[in-house]
Each structure stands twice: as structure tokens, then as C-alpha cells.
Amino acid sequence: MSSRKEPSRSRWENIDWESPDLSSTPTVVNATLNSLTNEFEVSKPKTPSRSKFDFGSNNNSNGWIHDAERGWDSSPNVPEKSWDPCYKPVQDLNAGQQQHKFSSGETAVFRLNMDMDDTPVFSKVVDYTAFRNQDIIPDYDDIITAEELKDPEVWENRNFRTPFPDIPINRIKTPYDNADQYLYTHFELMRQDFLIPLQKAVKAYKEVYNYTKTKDDQGLAMETASNQQPYRLYEHVRLNAIVFGSRQPLYRISFRLPYYCRVNWPQSKRLMPGTLVLLSKDHFDKDLKIATIVERGDEPMRGANRFEYLLDLYLERDNENQPFGFGDPTMINDDTYVMIEATDGYFEAYRHVLNVFQRIKPTELPFKQYLVDLSNEVMLPHYAARKGTYDINVHKRVRGRERWNVDINREWPVYNTGMDKTQMDALKTILSHNLSIVQGPPGTGKTYVGTYAMQVLLNNFDFSLGPIVCICQTNHALDQFLEHIYKFDEKIVRVGGRSKSELLKDNTLYELKKIHERPRGLGRMYRSRDELGKEIRKALIELYEEPCVSIDFITSTKALNPRQIESLKRISERNKNRPKQSAANTFINDDSDSDDDWEISSIEPVTKKAPIKNTRGNPAPAAKSRNKGVNNSWAGGNPNRVEPVKEKKTNPVEVWLADAIDFIDDTGMMSTIAEEMKQTLLEKEKGLIFDDDPDDRDLIEEEELKEVTQEFRGDDDSRAFKNPFIQIGKAYKKQNEPGPGEGPERKVVNYQKIRTATDFEPQKFNFFDDSGDDGFSEEENNKYSLERWTKENDVSMWPLPVRLKAHKIWVDQRNAMLEQKMNMLMKRYVELSNEIRKTTANFEAKICREHRVVGMTSTAAAKYHDLLEEMRPRVMVVEEAAEMLESHIISAVTRSLEHLILIGDHQQLRPSTAVHALAENHALGVSLFERLVKNDFPFTRLSHQRRMRPEIRTMINPIYIDPPLKDHPDVLTYPPIKGMEQSLFFLAHTEDETHLSDSASKVNEHEAKMAAKLSVYLLLQGYRTEDITIITMYAGQKSLIKKALREERRAYTDPEPIQVSSVDGFQGEENKIIILSLVRSNANGQIGFLKVVNRVCVSLSRAKYGFYILGNASLLCEKSDLWNEIIGNLENQSTKMIGTKLPLKCKKHNVITEVQWPVDFTEVEEGGCTRTCGEFLPCGHKV
């Protein structure tokens, strides 16, 4: 049966099927359903020239992926092919054969797929502005109930090339729709890059915890199973103190390491300042607290026993239902937490970038036409357009100096600048493009061109241009760049971590602030903040040292009626004449005896002496203190003055609850003997079960750790653990001086100390349980009902259980008010610290504006973005821009910026990310530098390399093809390597790789020993240790090579100082001789990092004079086209540069010795050969 009635067909006859406007007209067809075969017969009422109908599915839930991927590696104008499982007979409705099919009047038949889900699918509408109000600190839903944890099977079945759902993809070859979409994309990618490792850490921890539930010793099983997981575990975490930090109030916590851990703290990534940690007291079931590590120290402080460590952290997000709080003054609740940190991602690197992104307004995004719209129409910098002409002669301005004038809008005359043509082109690009890009392959002098351009700008403009901001990825690179500038202009400010450069030590912002007057009002703000700290301390003392509420509190809250309050006061009056007990309840202390019979602290009792003369010659007043046994000489700072002790007012409530008062001394609750024995046993087992080598995932260079710590602290000069603090929880120590007749112990109310009930079962009693089961029978419950006894006006008649019930309600209310007050004070403390930071930023900006150049790292640029905005720079230079994430550069630019200069090489190292899948599948690893170059943005590439001898340069020829790299004449004059037949050689082998301590990092012992032996041989040729560098792509191999170098130490030759570096860490560096250990050699055909072109490029381009490679050549040729070409080029050289034996050449006899194994170096132990030299040593012996 036809799906349309016949009269409507006349309307169809009038449709112009040939009309080009048909796309805007609804497509109309005849469709007849055959219910027996579930087939549709579809035909057109009139012969068309082209089919316009579409049976494409509307349920394309993956459409967002295709939209985002389109244009990444293809043209933005290529139409997508629609995916339609129902539409199989017709592959392309636009094909000529289909047009012929319908023009002949035939009917197309389509089978109805009854198995398809007819549930409507809704496309998610993204609000690209919502990220501005999003919390940067994740919450419970973000981490524990994330999509990955809700449906783990779906995530586990994902292909490694499949993008994550609902996470945007960086557009590489297509423009963004608007600035909000651009900012949202990079914000969300950065946020997910630190969030996904946290999700994986919690997921892995919960899996391990559930797995170990059935084990006999769950704690031991938990610790063992946690080894080599995507998290680091810390146990027995407890509150220790409130610390009044320089930026915010902090918590000091105590923690213990799992017994399998051996941590070399000065070289450990564990708990670095700025790291985000997760805490929970129910193993992340309901409870989650998020904190940032603020102070760890070179090595954490030790706690109450030898197993405990201490560190300071800032609580970023609390659990409102189970708050972190301020410890339990009663010592009944022993809140113990587990704490984990993800092994990937460093939160401090993300926090400031995300904060800046939230503050960027879409209308104020600098260079929007390039970043968002991908425009290639580059313009002149605004300030340069007004000047027009530059003098590019950078030599010192002296009389008779020649001016090299150029018009940046026209062709430049040729001057003797000493630069090649591409370097001059790069200089012109830098000066004439408001967004300048210069690509500098290895050794081509991109830093030289960058500093030359800066010198031109500084010479042609005065302070009206404002400070030029220089940004580098690392502190080392920044120091090098600023040292080049310092040679021609000393007006430099170095912002951020302390510089290791002797040349710049007086130019750090920290040092410059010392010689400038502090801004007015700053001291007042510091004093106000100190007062807040005192208020917090006062509230804590009340919380811990006043276990009973006061009469005033009961009156203000109307907890008792006036008659009951009067009866409570009478109890206190009656108690005055009773003898007082000491805190230890060991003796009776009366007025005549005072405190002489017992000792407070370790200070000996003071004996009576003659009056002491003061500085003016007058006798000091005699001490009238009744507490004669206590030496109070340090209480007021004057050892000759003893303050009289004031009579402490008795609290009637304390008298009322006297039978339930207990005392706790400053030592707190110590560990049990069983616990100590267990921990001692585990301590002894360390090193017996596991290797001494720490997991190399946790290792970091000691200098790098210091840089990270300094970068986090900034200019704050406070030393580790030197901030004032007050202890809490079990670590609390009594702050107030003991009153008359009191000991040093602290009072607590023991709510379980009930002795009046004959059938009371203490093990069932818990006042903190809301279930109502308080250990009493029903009869006893009626007897001790609080509701019943509140009708009794004489509170002295109340039984102790009733008194405790009533007081528990009152004290909880008071403590809640105190904690609320402290939380408000701590919030105000943070606000005041932010005001101090804002005032300081204005002060620092004023200093920076008085200088010509300001340098900082990319992390510092985001962290001190408020300083950058106050500086109002117009020019910014970014070195190694291709190694920086695009978001890092965008977070550094300011509204005032007119000129952005990017210098780097996207064919070397790319930006590093915590989540590899985001780098690969979401293009997070593509830098702004690379994205613009791929979109044909105007840029200049330098062509002449000045680093490597020509044969070494041929190694990277397959990478730099169009145009190829050329050699500067200087590299043709490099000397050959002494003691070697070849200055370039690939020593091939097939020795297998292994692991270290079950680590994921790979090592190759054969290569480590060969590298160490070769290093010693080169030292014997007269080279210095600083002339040689050994590089590798694996951290484990780096440790193994250092160990091999230590084993090669001799009385006259010590190779240990030779630098051993990762490839990434040696980016931008060079040396005379490089030894490269490739490590990978296995039967599985895995080559890991060696297939990453960017890393290969860096590793092959660091050597100047000599380059020696150790690796499995056959495996590389088989698994990598790039390596196949590189090795093929070596094989085609006129001289032998690859083989299984390395030829050594005695410079005295020209004897060749070939070495294949480490033991072969015994033939050249003295650095020559086995023949005698016939020369005399200084001692007279002949050799």
C-alpha cells in the first residue's frame, strides 16, 4: 500500500527535480512497506536526474568525534561519508548509475532492520562558557564516580586509538568556531590531563583493596599488591598540627610508608611540593579529601616514632559530611586515613594555567585571528608600524659607528652581520611579524638570532617599549638565554626560582626587592594576618584545654533553666572547701604544701637565694608565686622576674562532671607493643625481600627536584618547617601554664566512664552512635532518660550518665561553633594572603618596569600572570616554543601584548603530557608552534648548522629533507677523535634488554658496561670528563650507566663525574663527544621510544666532534623505516661507520684494536695498544 494518498501525487508532479535549490526543499518519495518481508519499496513520482533523498541514520552518536577529527590530517573541505547500516544497496546516491536506475522508473528496495535499537539518541550540547565557573579542584563525582569507574568494561574495551567520550579534540587544521570554543577545548584537555591519572589511581587502589579483603593479613597484602600500581600509597595518616603558612593555613600530617618502600628522598618524586594527594578514611567508598603538598623538605621530618614522617599540606576540598576538622580533643575518635598520589601528572603545572584560562575574556584574547581563525595574513607589530626604520647594527654605540638602517616593510640592504641568508630572513621575520615563528633545526643558531633580534629592539627603543618578557621551558635554558642578553644589557630581572647562574645572582626579583622600599600598608596586612593566626590558636586552645562548657555558654544557649543554672553554681561553691587532687590523682595538695612535693617538667626546683640586683642596682622584687617549685624564668623573657600566678576561676560544669574527668599528658597515646614489634619486623625485612634500588618511576634528579621546589615556593624565603604551628589530635601539647594545684596533664571528659549502672556493658556504649543502643537495658534507659531528668531543677541530683548525655550535646554544639569560627578565620587568613600577594605583585611589577628584560619559566608565567598583567609588556619571546603545550603559551600572553615571538623546532621534542592517549588521540601534544606551521603560517627555517661534523649531520638527513640541512664552513675544520678510527660509529649487538626491580623502565647491562668502558678509554686519550656525555631514553638505563661508571673508578682516572642524561633532559645542549645507549633489544620486536621521530632527532644531533651509538641495528631496521634509512646511510659511507666491533686506534703506533665486549677493553687498559712505547716515565722506568 502506498504511504501517500493519490491526490497528493499531483503536487509532486510540479516539483522541479532538476532545480539546484532542491537541497532547501524537503525530499518527497513513495515508500511502500511489505509487512511479510519487512522491506520498503521506494520510488520517485517523476524521473529525476539525481537522487536527493537520504536514508542516513540520525543516531550518529560518534558524530562529535568525526567533526573534531575532520581536518586534523585532511583538508577541511573534504565532506564526510555518512555511516548508515540500513542503506546497503545504494553505496552512493550521487553516482551516475543510481541516477540511471531511478530515471528508468525502477524501484529501490530496502530491508527494514528490525534489530536496531529505536531508542532516541540525544546529542550533547556543550556550553563553551561553563568552564569559567568550573572548580579546578575535582570533587567526588569527578574522581570516584567518573564515567570510567561507572562503566569500566566500556572503557577497557576501548581501542587505544579511540578518543575519550565527551573530551574535546584540539583542532589542528581547521579553525575554531569562536574564542570560547578554543578556550574551552584547551581548558578541558589540560584539566583531563591531570584528572585521568587521579581516576586511574583511585580505581586501581579500590581494586587492590577489594582483592585483599579476604587475606589473613590485609594490611600486609595491601602493601604488597600496591607495588607497581598507578599510585603511591601512604598509611596511618593522622592530623598532627595546624601550620600558619606564608600563603594559607596548613595541616601537618604524620604518615608511614608501606614496608616495601625504600625512598631516597632527595631524589624522589614522591610528595613533591605542588602534588595533589587524595585522602580517605573508608578506602574511598564515601569519604574523599583532596589536598596539595606544600612542604616536604629535602627529607620529611620524623614523627613520634621512627616509622612516622611529617609533611605540610593544604586542604583543597573537604568532605562536608566527614570534615577533616581539628582533631578529637577527647581522644576517643582515632581518625586514620590512607593517602595516595597518582604516579603521573604534577598538579602545580596545571593549576595556574587553568586559573588564567578562566579569567580570559573571549573579546580580549590576543592574536585571536591566528589562534582561533587560523588566518595567515600576518601584520606588523603596532609599535613597529609607527617606527618603520631600524638600525640593525648591534655593536656598541661609539663615535664613527656605522648605521645599518633597514625599512621593515621593504627589501633589506646587505650588511656584514656575520649571519647567513636564512638567519637574516629570520631576523626580518621576528621584527616585522606581530606573531613571529622561527624554526631552528639542531645547531643552526636559533638562540643567536633570537638574542640578536632582542638587541636590535633594545637599541632602537627606550623604556617606552616596556620590558621584553623572555619565557623558556626550563630554568637552565632561561639562565643560558638571559646570560646572552646580559652581555649587552644588564637591566634584567629574573623571576621565579633562584637562578644558579653566578652572572644573574644579583638580578633575581628576590634580590632586587631587598634594595627597594616595601609598599606602604604591607606591614599592616602581615600584622593583621598574624592576629588571625593568634585567634585560631586561641580557639584551638579552648577546644583542647576546656573540656567542659562554661556557665555563660549554657546561659546563652538556654540549655538549662535559671533554677538549674543556680543549682549548678552552688555545686561549685560547695566544692571550694574540698581538698584538691593533682592531675595524677596520686596525692592530696593543700595550701601549706603547694607544689613542692612534685616536679613539673625537668627543671629543678628553685632554691631561695639572696635578692638579685637588676641593671640599675636595685634589688629585684621577691617572687610571690605560690608555685615555688616551677621555674618560670623563660615565661616572660626576663630570668629575674617571676610573674605571680593568678587564681584560676573554677568552672562549675567541671566540678559537676568531676567523676568523668581524665588526664592526658603531652606524650599522647603511644603505639602498642604488638604494633611496634610488627613494624620492627617489617623494617628488618626491608632489603631482604626487595632490592635496594628504588622504583625508577619515583626517581628525579636532585637538582631538578630543587628547581621544582623553588619554583613552587617562588620568592618565599621561608625554610622548610619553620612556620609557626600548634599541634592537634594525639600530638597536642598543653599550651596554658598549669594553675595552682594542677599538673601538666590536660583534662578530658571520658564519656565512657560510668560507674553507677550495675548492668552496664561498656563495650556496647557509644555516645557517638545515633542508633540509640547505648549499652543500657530498657529499664536503665528510662532511669537515665535525659528528657526525664531535665525536669529536675536540682542538677546535683542528676546521675552521671544523664550529666554526660547532656554535656555531650552542649560540648558538641560549642565545638561546632568553635570549628565554624576557626574555618571562618582560616578563610579570612587566605583572603588576606591574597591581598598581600596582590599588593606584592604591584610592587614587583614596578620593579620589572624599571628594567629592559624580564625572564621567567613557562610555569612561572602562568603562576605570576597577575604580575605580567601589571607589567603590561608589549613584546614576548618564547624559546623552545615547540616543546610547550599551547595552553602554557596562551596562559602567558597578556592583553597588552602586541608582539609574540616563537622560536623552536617542532621536529625535535614535542610537549610532554601525563596521559599519552590525550596527546595522541586528542592532539594535546601538538604545540601552538607546530599547529601554525602545519597551517602554512608564514615562518622562517634556518638552514646552516654550526654544531655537528658533516658525517654526524647526515644522521638527521632523513628528518630534515625539504630543504636539507647545510653545513657551515666551521664544522669542516673539526679535529678527529683521538684514539678512535672513526669519529662516528654505530656499534651493533644483539644482547637482550632487561628490567630493574620489576620496573617498567628498560635497561641493557651490556650497553651500560660498554659505555662506561669507552668513556674511560676516551679519558685516557686526554679528554676531560666535561667533554663527554652519555645519553639514553630510559631512566633505568641512566641509573645503570652511573653505577657502571662508579665501578670503573681508578686511582688515576675517575669517570664518575661524566654527565649521564636522558634525551629529553639534554634537549638544547651539546658536547664534544656523545655516547648514545639505545637500550632496546628483544625478541618481541618492541622498540618503544626509538620509534618517536622527535626523540630520535634530539638524540642524533647533540654531538660536535664524536658520536658513538650502542644498539641493536637489525631490530631497528626491521621495526622502523626511519632507522632503516639512517642505518642504510651509514652502510653506504665510504668508510666503515657501523659494525659489531668498534675500531680503536693507538695514536702512538697507529695499531687498530677492535672491541666487541666489555672485556675486550683489557687489551687497551692504558689507552693505547699492547706494543711497548720505548719511552721513559718521570720515575725512570721504560714503557
Side-chain angles (χ1 to χ4, degrees):
M1 183 177 177
S2 175
S3 60
R4 293 280 185 181
K5 294 184 179 180
E6 190 64 26
S8 63
R9 297 178 65 92
S10 60
R11 181 170 57 84
W12 295 2
E13 299 293 337
N14 298 323
I15 297 177
D16 184 6
W17 295 93
E18 306 291 338
S19 171
D21 298 328
L22 187 62
S23 59
S24 61
T25 306
T27 302
V28 184
V29 295
N30 285 336
T32 304
L33 173 64
N34 187 329
S35 59
L36 296 178
T37 60
N38 287 330
E39 292 179 344
F40 272 105
E41 295 180 356
V42 182
S43 61
K44 292 187 177 180
K46 185 177 181 180
T47 303
S49 61
R50 180 173 178 173
S51 171
K52 288 292 182 179
F53 65 90
D54 182 14
F55 287 93
S57 171
N58 291 325
N59 297 337
N60 188 4
S61 60
N62 293 326
W64 65 274
I65 298 178
H66 301 302
D67 290 340
E69 286 183 326
R70 182 172 58 202
W72 186 354
D73 292 317
S74 61
S75 171
N77 294 324
V78 176
E80 283 190 71
K81 294 180 181 179
S82 60
W83 174 84
D84 186 1
C86 301
Y87 188 54
K88 294 181 181 179
V90 181
Q91 299 298 325
D92 186 356
L93 293 179
N94 296 332
Q97 59 182 2
Q98 298 302 329
Q99 296 173 12
H100 174 74
K101 182 176 181 178
F102 278 103
S103 64
S104 62
E106 295 182 9
T107 300
V109 179
F110 300 90
R111 181 178 298 277
L112 184 64
N113 189 346
M114 303 299 291
D115 297 328
M116 289 188 66
D117 186 8
D118 58 357
T119 304
V121 176
F122 297 93
S123 298
K124 183 177 181 179
V125 178
V126 179
D127 181 0
Y128 294 125
T129 63
F131 75 93
R132 289 189 174 86
N133 300 318
Q134 188 169 3
D135 286 336
I136 292 171
I137 303 300
D139 58 18
Y140 184 93
D141 291 335
D142 290 326
I143 295 178
I144 297 183
T145 58
E147 293 298 326
E148 181 179 357
L149 303 182
K150 288 178 182 176
D151 198 352
E153 291 185 5
V154 173
W155 282 67
E156 289 298 330
N157 294 330
R158 288 175 56 256
N159 185 283
F160 73 98
R161 287 291 183 188
T162 304
F164 292 110
D166 297 330
I167 298 178
I169 296 177
N170 185 17
R171 294 189 178 186
I172 304 304
K173 285 195 172 181
T174 54
Y176 285 87
D177 297 342
N178 50 60
D180 277 328
Q181 186 190 36
Y182 171 79
L183 294 170
Y184 160 80
T185 298
H186 286 279
F187 175 91
E188 193 60 26
L189 286 174
M190 287 293 287
R191 183 172 176 271
Q192 293 296 331
D193 198 41
F194 84 81
L195 186 58
I196 290 175
L198 296 176
Q199 295 171 349
K200 290 182 176 179
V202 171
K203 178 185 176 184
Y205 175 85
K206 296 183 79 170
E207 287 176 351
V208 169
Y209 177 74
N210 292 330
Y211 166 75
T212 58
K213 275 183 178 179
T214 58
K215 304 297 180 181
D216 294 336
D217 189 339
Q218 186 182 3
L220 182 61
M222 186 77 192
E223 291 181 350
T224 306
S226 294
N227 195 17
Q228 294 299 317
Q229 292 290 344
Y231 62 85
R232 302 184 184 105
L233 175 64
Y234 308 94
E235 303 171 305
H236 303 283
V237 178
R238 292 187 176 94
L239 294 177
N240 181 273
I242 298 293
V243 180
F244 303 101
S246 60
R247 300 174 190 170
Q248 63 269 88
L250 310 172
Y251 281 102
R252 180 165 294 167
I253 61 165
S254 62
F255 67 93
R256 296 186 185 183
L257 291 168
Y259 82 96
Y260 61 79
C261 280
R262 273 196 175 276
V263 179
N264 179 17
W265 287 107
Q267 289 184 301
S268 178
K269 293 179 182 177
R270 286 174 172 267
L271 303 172
M272 293 190 303
T275 300
L276 207 66
V277 291
L278 310 177
L279 300 100
S280 176
K281 56 184 176 183
D282 63 2
H283 303 281
F284 301 103
D285 181 25
K286 302 289 186 184
D287 184 39
L288 172 67
K289 296 170 178 65
I290 303 175
T292 306
I293 304 299
V294 173
E295 189 58 74
R296 187 199 79 177
D298 293 335
E299 181 166 343
M301 287 196 305
R302 291 288 183 166
N305 60 60
R306 62 194 177 111
F307 308 111
E308 282 188 353
Y309 293 94
L310 301 176
L311 60 79
D312 296 346
L313 53 79
Y314 175 64
L315 188 63
E316 302 278 3
R317 187 179 292 280
D318 204 353
N319 181 354
E320 293 182 359
N321 297 324
Q322 302 178 56
F324 219 28
F326 300 91
D328 181 18
T330 66
M331 303 302 234
I332 294 176
N333 286 340
D334 183 20
D335 286 341
T336 303
Y337 297 83
V338 294
M339 181 172 72
I340 63 173
E341 64 172 323
T343 53
D344 296 315
Y346 176 59
F347 179 65
E348 185 69 9
Y350 299 89
R351 177 205 292 272
H352 303 295
V353 172
L354 297 175
N355 273 323
V356 172
F357 264 70
Q358 288 184 323
R359 297 198 299 265
I360 298 176
K361 297 179 181 178
T363 56
E364 296 177 352
L365 177 66
F367 310 106
K368 174 181 174 294
Q369 68 272 32
Y370 309 131
L371 305 176
V372 178
D373 304 328
L374 289 181
S375 171
N376 291 336
E377 297 179 3
V378 67
M379 298 184 295
L380 283 171
H382 181 68
Y383 69 88
R386 293 189 296 175
K387 186 173 182 63
T389 302
Y390 287 97
D391 176 10
I392 63 170
N393 189 344
V394 297
H395 297 99
K396 290 186 177 180
R397 293 183 177 273
V398 294
R399 182 172 295 180
R401 169 184 168 276
E402 183 183 0
R403 291 180 62 88
W404 296 343
N405 291 330
V406 296
D407 187 335
I408 57 176
N409 290 307
R410 299 179 182 178
E411 288 294 322
W412 287 13
V414 177
Y415 296 111
N416 186 22
T417 60
M419 294 191 288
D420 61 51
K421 183 182 182 304
T422 56
Q423 287 179 323
M424 286 300 296
D425 290 341
L427 178 63
K428 185 174 183 180
T429 297
I430 290 174
L431 296 177
S432 60
H433 292 182
N434 65 342
L435 201 164
S436 316
I437 297 181
V438 175
Q439 182 189 1
T444 54
K446 56 181 178 291
T447 300
Y448 173 78
V449 175
T451 53
Y452 192 102
M454 288 193 62
Q455 195 167 357
V456 170
L457 290 173
L458 293 172
N459 287 347
N460 283 269
F461 291 91
D462 55 18
F463 280 87
S464 62
L465 181 64
I468 298 176
V469 177
C470 300
I471 295 177
C472 296
Q473 180 79 345
T474 64
N475 280 293
H476 178 64
L478 180 61
D479 284 343
Q480 284 187 325
F481 194 76
L482 293 180
E483 283 176 352
H484 287 300
I485 300 170
Y486 190 85
K487 294 174 184 177
F488 55 84
D489 198 322
E490 297 181 3
K491 299 289 286 182
I492 294 175
V493 181
R494 170 72 153 78
V495 179
R498 308 295 170 78
S499 172
K500 290 189 290 185
S501 169
E502 284 296 317
L503 200 61
L504 302 171
K505 64 181 181 181
D506 294 329
N507 291 73
T508 62
L509 183 58
Y510 176 78
E511 293 296 331
L512 291 171
K513 284 195 293 187
K514 291 180 180 179
I515 60 176
H516 286 73
E517 186 180 354
R518 270 201 327 182
R520 295 181 61 183
L522 194 60
R524 175 182 51 79
M525 284 190 281
Y526 275 113
R527 288 192 296 271
S528 298
R529 194 177 68 175
D530 290 342
E531 288 300 319
L532 290 175
K534 292 177 182 177
E535 288 294 317
I536 296 171
R537 179 185 292 270
K538 182 179 177 182
L540 271 171
I541 292 174
E542 181 179 353
L543 184 70
Y544 275 85
E545 300 190 18
E546 298 294 338
C548 300
V549 299
S550 64
I551 286 289
D552 292 339
F553 177 84
I554 295 175
T555 304
S556 64
T557 57
K558 298 181 180 179
L560 295 176
N561 61 45
R563 290 187 178 182
Q564 290 170 332
I565 292 175
E566 286 301 319
S567 69
L568 194 57
K569 291 178 179 178
R570 286 194 296 271
I571 295 177
S572 177
E573 292 295 328
R574 290 195 299 268
N575 186 67
K576 279 187 177 181
N577 298 324
R578 293 183 182 178
K580 300 177 181 178
Q581 279 190 317
S582 74
N585 293 320
T586 56
F587 63 93
I588 302 299
N589 189 12
D590 58 25
D591 291 342
S592 61
D593 194 24
S594 187
D595 294 328
D596 289 341
D597 292 342
W598 70 308
E599 183 179 309
I600 299 177
S601 81
S602 59
I603 302 173
E604 294 182 1
V606 180
T607 57
K608 292 183 179 181
K609 297 180 180 179
I612 301 173
K613 296 283 186 179
N614 61 18
T615 55
R616 296 184 180 181
N618 298 323
K624 297 181 182 179
S625 172
R626 296 176 66 238
N627 195 5
K628 295 179 290 185
V630 182
N631 186 347
N632 290 319
S633 60
W634 300 108
N638 185 353
N640 302 324
R641 180 182 178 186
V642 180
E643 291 287 344
V645 178
K646 296 180 180 179
E647 184 76 23
K648 187 176 180 181
K649 189 176 180 180
T650 303
N651 183 355
V653 180
E654 189 175 314
V655 177
W656 188 51
L657 297 176
D659 291 336
I661 299 292
D662 276 353
F663 296 86
I664 298 176
D665 60 21
D666 283 349
T667 59
M669 302 294 289
M670 300 301 293
S671 301
T672 63
I673 295 176
E675 177 69 13
E676 287 293 331
M677 291 178 63
K678 174 186 174 184
Q679 295 297 333
T680 302
L681 175 62
L682 295 179
E683 182 74 16
K684 289 179 179 178
E685 287 178 347
K686 287 183 181 179
L688 300 178
I689 300 175
F690 297 95
D691 294 330
D692 287 342
D693 298 300
D695 185 351
D696 52 70
R697 293 184 307 170
D698 295 345
L699 292 178
I700 186 174
E701 292 289 342
E702 191 167 348
E703 286 301 314
E704 186 181 351
L705 176 60
K706 289 180 179 178
E707 278 191 11
V708 170
T709 304
Q710 289 176 353
E711 197 75 65
F712 178 79
R713 291 180 184 169
D715 291 328
D716 181 15
D717 193 39
S718 59
R719 292 185 296 167
F721 301 112
K722 294 300 180 182
N723 290 316
F725 65 92
I726 178 171
Q727 291 173 308
I728 58 176
K730 287 188 174 181
Y732 184 85
K733 290 181 171 30
K734 191 172 181 180
Q735 303 293 308
N736 291 330
E737 289 293 325
E742 292 182 346
E745 294 89 349
R746 179 169 64 87
K747 298 174 183 177
V748 295
V749 177
N750 188 346
Y751 291 98
Q752 295 180 340
K753 197 171 184 180
I754 301 173
R755 290 171 291 205
T756 55
T758 55
D759 57 348
F760 176 68
E761 299 181 53
Q763 67 272 17
K764 293 184 180 180
F765 181 77
N766 184 5
F767 273 109
F768 304 95
D769 187 4
D770 296 331
S771 63
D773 184 9
D774 52 9
F776 294 113
S777 65
E778 184 177 353
E779 180 181 350
E780 294 291 325
N781 275 324
N782 292 331
K783 180 179 178 181
Y784 301 122
S785 169
L786 179 60
E787 183 180 0
R788 171 191 169 189
W789 283 97
T790 51
K791 299 174 183 178
E792 173 59 55
N793 289 331
D794 186 359
V795 295
S796 63
M797 301 297 294
W798 291 15
L800 183 59
V802 178
R803 300 182 189 187
L804 289 173
K805 284 183 178 181
H807 189 265
K808 184 63 177 65
I809 295 173
W810 304 338
V811 81
D812 283 349
Q813 187 179 357
R814 185 206 66 174
N815 290 353
M817 293 171 65
L818 283 174
E819 293 189 6
Q820 183 180 10
K821 176 184 177 181
M822 286 188 285
N823 285 326
M824 291 177 63
L825 290 170
M826 292 170 80
K827 184 179 179 181
R828 178 57 187 152
Y829 191 104
V830 174
E831 292 172 353
L832 203 49
S833 297
N834 292 335
E835 292 178 24
I836 291 172
R837 172 61 206 152
K838 186 176 180 180
T839 304
T840 305
N842 296 335
F843 170 54
E844 293 169 344
K846 182 181 177 182
I847 296 174
C848 291
R849 284 196 295 268
E850 295 172 357
H851 291 73
R852 303 300 309 277
V853 178
V854 177
M856 59 182 68
T857 63
S858 57
T859 303
K863 182 176 183 178
Y864 301 112
H865 192 265
D866 54 349
L867 171 61
L868 283 172
E869 287 287 357
E870 286 295 327
M871 284 168 48
R872 299 184 294 277
R874 298 162 75 181
V875 183
M876 182 176 289
V877 181
V878 183
E879 256 275 319
E880 300 296 355
E883 291 184 50
M884 295 186 194
L885 290 166
E886 183 164 349
S887 53
H888 282 193
I889 295 178
I890 301 308
S891 64
V893 300
T894 63
R895 292 170 293 176
S896 62
L897 204 64
E898 299 176 11
H899 192 182
L900 178 61
I901 302 166
L902 304 180
I903 302 173
D905 183 11
H906 61 284
Q907 290 179 276
Q908 295 187 58
L909 290 183
R910 301 179 84 178
S912 60
T913 61
V915 182
H916 182 70
L918 289 177
E920 293 296 320
N921 305 334
H922 294 259
L924 177 59
V926 178
S927 64
L928 172 63
F929 188 104
E930 182 178 358
R931 187 166 73 94
L932 293 177
V933 168
K934 281 190 172 184
N935 284 279
D936 301 323
F937 191 87
F939 74 102
T940 301
R941 200 187 97 170
L942 305 179
S943 61
H944 288 72
Q945 69 88 16
R946 293 164 166 78
R947 175 185 296 161
M948 302 162 278
R949 65 184 327 126
E951 54 265 42
I952 298 177
R953 186 261 307 152
T954 60
M955 298 282 287
I956 58 174
N957 279 352
I959 299 173
Y960 296 97
I961 300 174
D962 185 21
L965 272 182
K966 300 176 183 178
D967 297 319
H968 191 272
D970 289 350
V971 302
L972 304 177
T973 63
Y974 285 168
I977 299 299
K978 293 178 287 186
M980 306 297 293
E981 175 71 9
Q982 298 292 342
S983 296
L984 168 65
F985 198 87
F986 192 124
L987 181 58
H989 68 86
T990 55
E991 295 300 301
D992 285 345
E993 66 193 40
T994 54
H995 296 259
L996 264 184
S997 302
D998 298 324
S999 170
S1001 187
K1002 309 299 179 184
V1003 296
N1004 194 302
E1005 188 174 3
H1006 170 76
E1007 290 185 14
K1009 290 182 177 180
M1010 287 296 291
K1013 294 283 188 182
L1014 179 57
S1015 299
V1016 172
Y1017 176 80
L1018 291 169
L1019 292 177
L1020 293 172
Q1021 308 309 309
Y1023 291 105
R1024 300 171 300 171
T1025 54
E1026 52 264 36
D1027 295 332
I1028 305 169
T1029 300
I1030 306 174
I1031 61 175
T1032 182
M1033 296 190 188
Y1034 292 90
Q1037 183 72 355
K1038 192 170 74 168
S1039 302
L1040 195 61
I1041 292 172
K1042 287 182 177 180
K1043 182 179 179 183
L1045 288 173
R1046 288 194 297 270
E1047 293 172 352
E1048 291 296 321
R1049 286 183 293 186
R1050 307 177 186 178
Y1052 51 87
T1053 305
D1054 184 7
E1056 190 175 7
I1058 290 175
Q1059 182 182 8
V1060 183
S1061 175
S1062 65
V1063 170
D1064 291 11
F1066 208 62
Q1067 160 69 354
E1069 303 291 330
E1070 62 182 33
N1071 209 344
K1072 291 179 180 178
I1073 301 172
I1074 297 292
I1075 301 173
L1076 171 62
S1077 173
L1078 297 177
V1079 179
R1080 301 313 299 265
S1081 179
N1082 53 71
N1084 302 325
Q1086 300 295 321
I1087 62 173
F1089 291 136
L1090 302 184
K1091 64 187 175 186
V1092 181
V1093 177
N1094 305 74
R1095 280 193 166 97
V1096 172
C1097 179
V1098 174
S1099 64
L1100 299 181
S1101 59
R1102 302 300 102 195
K1104 296 178 67 178
Y1105 299 168
F1107 188 29
Y1108 302 97
I1109 308 171
L1110 311 173
N1112 188 330
S1114 59
L1115 174 65
L1116 295 175
C1117 288
E1118 180 184 351
K1119 295 299 177 182
S1120 169
D1121 292 337
L1122 173 62
W1123 278 106
N1124 190 40
E1125 188 173 353
I1126 291 170
I1127 293 171
N1129 289 344
L1130 290 175
E1131 292 173 338
N1132 294 333
Q1133 296 293 324
S1134 56
T1135 56
K1136 187 177 181 182
M1137 294 185 179
I1138 184 171
T1140 58
K1141 295 182 179 180
L1142 176 65
L1144 310 178
K1145 184 177 181 180
C1146 176
K1147 60 183 177 181
K1148 178 74 175 178
H1149 306 109
N1150 289 330
V1151 173
I1152 301 298
T1153 304
E1154 292 186 329
V1155 295
Q1156 182 177 6
W1157 309 100
V1159 69
D1160 295 339
F1161 280 91
T1162 55
E1163 298 183 26
V1164 290
E1165 277 190 314
E1166 304 302 322
C1169 61
T1170 56
R1171 293 173 57 179
T1172 58
C1173 296
E1175 295 183 358
F1176 289 94
L1177 297 174
C1179 61
H1181 292 88
K1182 187 177 181 180
V1183 294

